[in-house]
Amino acid sequence: MQEAFYFGQEDRELLGVYHPALGIGGNVLTVICPPLFSEFNRTHAALRNLSLALAQKGQHVLRMEYSGTGDSYGDLQDSSVAGWIDEVSIAIDEGKDLSGCRRVRLLGVRGSALLVCKSGGKRDDVDRIVLWDPAPDGTALRDSLEREQDHLVREHLYMDGPERREVRQEFDIYRMSPAMWEEWPALDASIYRDMPADRLRIVKTPKADDIAIEGVEVTGVDFTVSWEIKNGEVFMCQPVLEGLLDHLVTR
């Protein structure tokens, strides 16, 4: 069972998909914050499957989509990193109202990991944050996006100079504003280090960046995810989902 609905501020309503816990006694809410740009579509089916599995395990789940992305309202050109950080907290509060839960767990994927930790790291109601292949910091995320665009340009040798310059500004169907591009470096690695280590878990695939945070448990998963190759591959990565599920449901 799932229910799609809109919530948040009237001028930038967010799409949420709510999966109620199956059975009686579910007292934990997991808010799933998807990755950004082309990675959003490539992980959509996997994160939906994870949501269904969590509901079967007795957790309430809210999957959210940031403003200007997916089916949420707004244009990416008008969105900001600071606004997306606020939207994580808005989603947490909405999920708590829907589910009646007071205990919250968060999942952040890739660049979304920075947003999740910045928003939820100091909230008393968040008792665990699980990250899938988190970007080490905002600068590393920008570098990764640039490498992704370089790969795309090399794959399309027919493009002329103006077309190549144009495509470098576009990330899948999304066009990031110059203002947002300049916001990312402010999100540095201290976001992770400032969190209580016992509240953070990381699930890492072989090609992902290494993040060494003292006291944080990192689960390596033998499943290769090529984030920077924009080839339309949809990730149906059962080993990764099992690792995430384990961290999200254990006490």
Side-chain angles (χ1 to χ4, degrees), residues 86-205:
D86 289 341
E87 288 167 11
V88 174
S89 273
I90 292 170
I92 293 171
D93 293 337
E94 184 70 23
K96 289 174 65 176
D97 288 344
L98 274 173
S99 65
C101 295
R102 291 296 172 261
R103 293 176 57 205
V104 179
R105 292 178 179 176
L106 302 178
L107 171 63
V109 186
R110 287 276 283 166
S112 194
L114 292 161
L115 310 177
V116 164
C117 289
K118 183 68 173 178
S119 180
K122 292 184 170 59
R123 288 185 60 132
D124 293 336
D125 51 359
V126 175
D127 66 13
R128 184 170 305 164
I129 297 180
V130 179
L131 309 178
W132 172 10
D133 285 352
D137 52 47
T139 299
L141 175 65
R142 290 202 325 184
D143 291 345
S144 177
L145 291 171
E146 287 185 325
R147 288 192 295 269
E148 180 182 313
Q149 297 308 89
D150 287 342
H151 177 82
L152 179 64
V153 169
R154 288 194 299 272
E155 290 291 304
H156 296 81
L157 299 178
Y158 60 84
M159 291 181 179
D160 60 23
E163 288 174 327
R164 287 170 182 262
R165 287 191 293 274
E166 184 72 13
V167 79
R168 286 182 185 279
Q169 305 302 316
E170 296 179 352
F171 303 92
D172 201 31
I173 62 173
Y174 303 108
R175 190 175 183 86
M176 193 188 312
S177 69
M180 175 178 278
W181 184 258
E182 295 302 322
E183 280 185 281
W184 286 109
L187 301 182
D188 60 28
S190 66
I191 291 174
Y192 301 132
R193 293 194 301 268
D194 290 346
M195 284 195 53
D198 61 348
R199 292 172 57 193
L200 190 61
R201 305 284 191 278
I202 295 174
V203 173
K204 180 184 179 300
T205 60

Side-chain angles (χ1 to χ4, degrees), residues 217-235:
E217 182 178 346
V218 178
T219 300
V221 177
D222 187 17
F223 183 95
T224 299
V225 177
S226 299
W227 294 107
E228 294 176 5
I229 299 178
K230 191 190 291 184
N231 58 5
E233 177 189 7
V234 174
F235 299 138

Side-chain angles (χ1 to χ4, degrees), residues 64-83:
M64 58 91 72
E65 297 178 2
Y66 296 104
S67 60
T69 73
D71 290 314
S72 288
Y73 280 78
D75 191 305
L76 183 63
Q77 289 285 302
D78 301 321
S79 299
S80 67
V81 172

